[in-house]
Each structure stands twice: as C-alpha cells, then as structure tokens.
Amino acid sequence: MSGPRFEPVRTVRAYERIVEQVEQAIESGALSPGQRLPSERDLMGQFSVSRSTVREALRVLQARGLVRSRPGDPNGAEVLPFSSDALQKSMASLARVEGLSLGELVQFRMVLDGSANLLAARLRTAGQLAEMEAAIERMRAAVTEGYDAFSAADVAFHDAVARASGNKLIQICVEVVRSIVLGLVADRLADAPDREALMRRSIRHHEEVLAAVRDGDGPLAARLARQTMYDYYAGYVPAAERPALRALLDQPPTVPE
Amino acid sequence: MSGPRFEPVRTVRAYERIVEQVEQAIESGALSPGQRLPSERDLMGQFSVSRSTVREALRVLQARGLVRSRPGDPNGAEVLPFSSDALQKSMASLARVEGLSLGELVQFRMVLDGSANLLAARLRTAGQLAEMEAAIERMRAAVTEGYDAFSAADVAFHDAVARASGNKLIQICVEVVRSIVLGLVADRLADAPDREALMRRSIRHHEEVLAAVRDGDGPLAARLARQTMYDYYAGYVPAAERPALRALLDQPPTVPE
DNA sequence: CGTAGCCTACTGGTCCGACCAGTGCACTAG
DNA sequence: CTAGTGCACTGGTCGGACCAGTAGGCTACG
C-alpha cells in the first residue's frame, strides 16, 4: 500500500546554499581562520548568482561570526577564528527576551564553576595550578589598584580553572555567562561601599578553592567554589531567588535540618 | 593638553541600524511573537533605505532566529517566539569547528543533568513529579515500540527534570546539548544489538533517579543521574576520554582508593 | 444559491547595473 | 630614495526589474 515515500520538497534559497558551502569549507578546514574569501564580485561568478545573493549569504555568515568584511579591503571577507561571540549574542538575547533573572544566571555560574573546579581538582596540570596562583597573586596586588584590575584577575582565575577542567564547552559557557552577569552587576560591584573588604574576603575564598584544587579534593573545591560565587553575588540577587541558589550549596550528603 | 576627547567614529552600516531597531522593538515587547513586520517594500519606505538594505537586515534577524519570512505570504516577516535554534546552531557549529569531542559533550550533559536533578529534588512540584512518572511510563511502553518512541519518552523525562529545576538556562542548555549528542550517536543507539536490554536497564536507572527526586534527596538524584548518563553513553565514548567522565561520578565526599 | 475555479494583487527571492566612499599599492615627481 | 598622487580594487547602498509563489476576492458554472 505504501508506495515510494515522498518527502515534502524543501525549497532551498540560493543564499542558503552558499552559506552551507562556505560553512562546510570552514568546518572541514579547507578555509582556515585568517584566510580570505574571494571578493563578492568573484563569488557571484563562482556561484553563478547575483551579488545581492552573495551579500545575503555573507550577512548570514557574518551574523554567525564566521567571517568579517571591511569596506575598502583589497581582499575579500576574512575567515574568523571561532569566537564565542555568536554564542554569547544569542545567549544574551535569550537573557533579555526570555527574561532570565540574575538569580538564574548566577545559579548557572555556580553549577558551571563548581563542576569546573571538581574536574580541575582531578585533572589539572602543574602549569595550570601555577596560572591559578598567579591570578590570585594579581588579585592581591589589585586590591589597591581598583575594581577593574581586581575583576580582571578574578576572571583570569576562573578562566584558568575552566581550562584545567579539560572541557572546552564548560570553558566557553563559563566565559559567556560570566560576561552577561558582569554586564548586569559591574557598576554595582564597582560602587560597593565596602569594596575593599569584599575583595579581601573574595581573595581568601579563592585561596581556599585553590588549596582544594591543589590537594585534588574535587568535591571540596566544587563546594567552596559555589559558596564563593554565592557570597560574592547573593547580595545583588533578589531575596526571593536566593533559596534556589542555596539549594546548590549544602552539597555533602544531605544536611539534615 | 588633552582637549576634548574625540572618540573613534564607528561607521555603522545602514542594515545594522535596522537590525538594532527591530531587535530592540522585539526585546521591549513592542513586537511580540506572532506579529508580522511590514512587508519589505513598506520597510524600505519607513527606514528610507533600499530594499537590498532591508533584506540584508532581515537576513541577519533571521539568522538570529528572531523572524522568519516565507515567500508568497501576503503579510510581512513573522516575529518568532524565542527558540534556542540560534543558540543551538552556534553551539553546533562550535562543536564542529572547535572539534568538541563526544566525551566533552556527554560530560557537559552529566554536569547539567546532575545539577538539574539536584535542583529538581528540592524544588519540584507535584505536577512536575507526575510528568516525570508519566514519561517513565511511556518509556516502559516504548520498549516494544522501538527506539524512536523510547528516545522521545527519555527526552521528555529529562525535559521534565530540567523544567523542575526552575532554571530556564539549564533547561535550554540541556535541550541544545542533548540534541547535538543525539545527532552524533542516534544511529548507533538505534542499531545496538542488545537494544532491549539497554532500554530496560535505562528505565531502571530512571526509576531510581525519580525516587531520589521524589524523596527530595538532591545529591543522590544528581549522582544517580550522572551515573545513568555515563552508563548510557560511555560505550560510545573513546576509552581515553572515559576517565574524565568518571571524574564526575564518585561524588560523595571522596572515595578513597 | 452554493461552490469550484480563475484572477489579481500582493508577497519574498533573485537578478542587473550603477554609484559612492573607502583602502592598498604601484607609480611618479621631487 | 622618499613623499605624494592616482588608480584599481574593495564593500555598502541604491533603484528598478522580473519571477514564483500565496491568499482571497470574483466570476461563472452547476
């Protein structure tokens, strides 16, 4: 009874085919970052389409963060190294459109950072450990230099941990979510009246986390990292959302009430 | 000496201005999902640009998953509800370009799913619990129906847990990463010789997870969820990557060797 | 009177040709 | 040999044109 199964014909736009081809060329390595695409006028010849179509394809590729074009450049569009920009953009727009709360973002960071520390404690190399130490050292120095330097060193520490986790996806997500969170609270953090005390406490917490990572105690490192994150941001999270964050804290078995 | 500080002029392309305006209109709620944009020919009047420029802007908006246009539609482009499509696309392209391994993806799922269960155990409502039970029930029924039905029910269970976590970001990331992983191993899972045994074991694991969630034992639920994920996928992960996955398993304090 | 079918007025997709403002490089004049 | 100029490109924008769809009104037939 069932003859040949016909599939609904998906009408494919010309510019989509171009996007596909270029995308595949990049993913397959035929085009590597830094290389240039032919000029739009060349491409219209190669693809046998008009320049408008080529341009629409390039717009899509550009929106996805794969290429960049600059007017007047004697070469064509430049193939970009992967950057999490596109990822970050869609996640940031998600944060606005879906109405992600600061609480959810911080909670997600607690999850990611905790896991990163857990993994880092078991997989870190000596060099990565040194990076973390150096970052904390810079945090200490930055207490007197001001918030920006401190924040940069703080970021460097968390990045080092994320790298040590050995999971690029964790690394990227940590980066993306952190930049969104910082964008939301940076001004408030910078203006905190008791800023210096905050910094010193944060440094102490980071030292504890580092010690756990050095000792290879993953669960402890994870717990401390979550606690550190909570302490640092809880004040900016609406009280109603804090219980959900604390649900991530009392990790070891279950703490009886 | 320093006169008025001149900022470098950032030349803004016309189509970018259009993207900005429409994007903002959507984020501010002035345009809500389901509504239609004016036709391209209308827009070129409203923005005082040519149709090419309007179209390039629409391409970008479309690439970001904000609108969709269909030829022949008597209305203009449709404003889409947020979907994780764009997010998924950039993450999928990331997976290819950055060469994310299956191991890293599964590891990330273990992290997310574990955390989702931890949170769900403490925050789930009775209704969400019922959803999870229903999903497992469908998994049982699907053992005889085949892999597709089973997989769909499995997905429904994990989605229910993610929803119960109360964190939309976790929910979305779970969805995105899962679809990438399934895309990589779906055929191998479907063709597994001992498929039925696999399914039954998976159901038993899910039941244990559900029990822990029902009892409100977050850490246990998280540990079981990670273990379930590991058991289900470890066979498809290269042996060299498995130790990194197992680093997420022996969670409770630390298991002495 | 009801409906099946056509016709029209739209839509987006594609093409073409043109012009502008930048950029880099070769060539030239000092 | 160097400083300056011009040319030959680039991408960005414009306007007009045509096509293939779609939806909905209109007509003509039953």
Side-chain angles (χ1 to χ4, degrees):
Chain A
M1 157 183 156
S2 76
R5 285 239 304 282
F6 295 118
E7 294 183 355
V9 185
R10 186 173 53 104
T11 132
V12 182
R13 286 127 214 208
Y15 74 89
E16 283 183 338
R17 307 292 297 260
I18 300 182
V19 169
E20 279 174 24
Q21 287 195 46
V22 177
E23 217 165 23
Q24 199 205 336
I26 293 179
E27 281 160 12
S28 75
L31 280 171
S32 41
Q35 284 188 28
R36 317 304 281 253
L37 259 52
S39 75
E40 296 180 357
R41 290 173 175 85
D42 272 0
L43 288 174
M44 64 185 272
Q46 294 190 31
F47 289 111
S48 296
V49 296
S50 74
R51 190 148 89 102
S52 329
T53 305
V54 169
R55 285 181 60 74
E56 293 193 19
L58 288 178
R59 284 287 86 78
V60 174
L61 290 168
Q62 183 173 312
R64 296 202 186 145
L66 295 177
V67 304
R68 176 183 51 181
S69 41
R70 201 167 44 105
D73 194 324
N75 303 307
E78 178 184 3
V79 177
L80 294 178
F82 175 84
S83 98
S84 53
D85 274 8
L87 196 62
Q88 184 167 334
K89 206 152 214 164
S90 42
M91 209 176 272
S93 113
L94 158 68
R96 290 189 298 265
V97 176
E98 285 283 279
L100 286 186
S101 65
L102 180 60
E104 284 173 296
L105 290 163
V106 170
Q107 190 177 47
F108 199 69
R109 280 195 70 186
M110 288 171 71
V111 166
L112 288 180
D113 206 56
S115 305
N117 275 281
L118 175 66
L119 291 168
R122 311 201 172 176
L123 307 171
R124 89 285 185 292
T125 65
Q128 288 160 340
L129 211 54
E131 284 177 26
M132 298 177 208
E133 280 163 4
I136 291 188
E137 191 50 50
R138 263 179 292 146
M139 286 172 79
R140 288 197 201 95
V143 168
T144 57
E145 295 175 23
Y147 170 74
D148 286 342
F150 181 82
S151 182
D154 183 32
V155 164
F157 178 82
H158 290 277
D159 273 345
V161 172
R163 269 196 304 279
S165 77
N167 189 308
K168 287 199 278 284
L169 200 48
I170 290 180
Q171 201 178 320
I172 290 168
C173 285
V174 160
E175 187 186 315
V176 168
V177 181
R178 181 214 307 130
S179 78
I180 296 177
V181 169
L182 285 183
L184 287 176
V185 301
D187 47 346
R188 284 190 279 174
L189 280 174
D191 295 343
D194 49 350
R195 207 175 37 172
E196 195 169 321
L198 267 179
M199 289 185 194
R200 294 199 187 283
R201 192 174 51 157
S202 176
I203 290 175
R204 201 170 56 248
H205 285 171
H206 280 71
E207 285 165 347
E208 291 171 10
V209 171
L210 176 60
V213 170
R214 185 188 293 114
D215 293 348
D217 189 341
L220 177 63
R223 200 164 65 246
L224 290 172
R226 284 189 290 260
Q227 184 73 50
T228 301
M229 185 80 66
Y230 179 81
D231 291 342
Y232 201 62
Y233 288 107
Y236 306 99
V237 174
E241 291 194 278
R242 282 180 216 156
L245 299 191
R246 280 197 295 270
L248 288 172
L249 289 183
D250 31 291
Q251 192 76 327
T254 336
V255 191
E257 285 295 317
Chain B
M1 156 181 156
S2 77
R5 285 238 306 281
F6 295 118
E7 294 184 354
V9 185
R10 185 173 55 103
T11 123
V12 182
R13 286 125 213 210
Y15 73 89
E16 283 183 339
R17 308 292 297 259
I18 300 182
V19 170
E20 280 174 24
Q21 287 195 46
V22 177
E23 218 165 21
Q24 199 204 337
I26 293 179
E27 280 161 14
S28 75
L31 280 171
S32 42
Q35 284 188 29
R36 317 302 282 252
L37 259 52
S39 75
E40 296 179 357
R41 290 172 175 84
D42 272 0
L43 287 174
M44 63 185 270
Q46 294 190 32
F47 288 110
S48 295
V49 296
S50 75
R51 190 156 159 240
S52 329
T53 306
V54 169
R55 284 181 60 75
E56 293 193 20
L58 288 178
R59 283 287 87 80
V60 175
L61 290 168
Q62 182 173 313
R64 297 203 186 146
L66 295 178
V67 305
R68 175 185 51 181
S69 40
R70 200 169 45 106
D73 194 326
N75 303 307
E78 179 184 3
V79 178
L80 294 177
F82 175 84
S83 98
S84 51
D85 275 8
L87 195 64
Q88 183 168 333
K89 208 150 212 163
S90 42
M91 208 176 272
S93 113
L94 157 68
R96 290 189 297 266
V97 176
E98 285 283 278
L100 287 185
S101 66
L102 180 60
E104 285 173 295
L105 289 163
V106 170
Q107 190 177 46
F108 199 69
R109 281 195 69 186
M110 288 172 71
V111 166
L112 288 180
D113 206 55
S115 305
N117 275 281
L118 176 66
L119 290 167
R122 310 201 173 176
L123 307 171
R124 88 287 184 294
T125 65
Q128 287 161 341
L129 212 53
E131 283 178 26
M132 299 176 207
E133 280 164 4
I136 291 189
E137 190 50 51
R138 262 179 295 143
M139 286 172 78
R140 286 195 204 97
V143 169
T144 57
E145 295 176 21
Y147 170 75
D148 286 343
F150 181 82
S151 182
D154 183 33
V155 163
F157 178 82
H158 290 277
D159 273 345
V161 172
R163 270 196 304 279
S165 78
N167 190 308
K168 287 199 278 287
L169 201 47
I170 290 180
Q171 201 177 321
I172 291 169
C173 285
V174 160
E175 188 185 316
V176 168
V177 181
R178 182 214 306 130
S179 78
I180 297 177
V181 170
L182 285 183
L184 287 177
V185 301
D187 47 344
R188 284 190 280 174
L189 280 173
D191 295 343
D194 48 352
R195 207 175 37 171
E196 194 169 320
L198 268 179
M199 289 185 193
R200 295 200 187 281
R201 193 174 50 160
S202 175
I203 290 174
R204 200 171 56 246
H205 286 172
H206 280 71
E207 285 165 348
E208 292 171 10
V209 171
L210 175 60
V213 170
R214 186 187 294 114
D215 294 347
D217 190 341
L220 177 63
R223 199 163 69 245
L224 290 173
R226 283 190 290 261
Q227 184 73 50
T228 300
M229 186 81 66
Y230 178 81
D231 290 343
Y232 202 60
Y233 288 107
Y236 306 99
V237 174
E241 292 194 276
R242 283 181 215 156
L245 299 191
R246 279 197 296 270
L248 288 172
L249 289 184
D250 32 293
Q251 193 75 326
T254 338
V255 192
E257 286 295 316

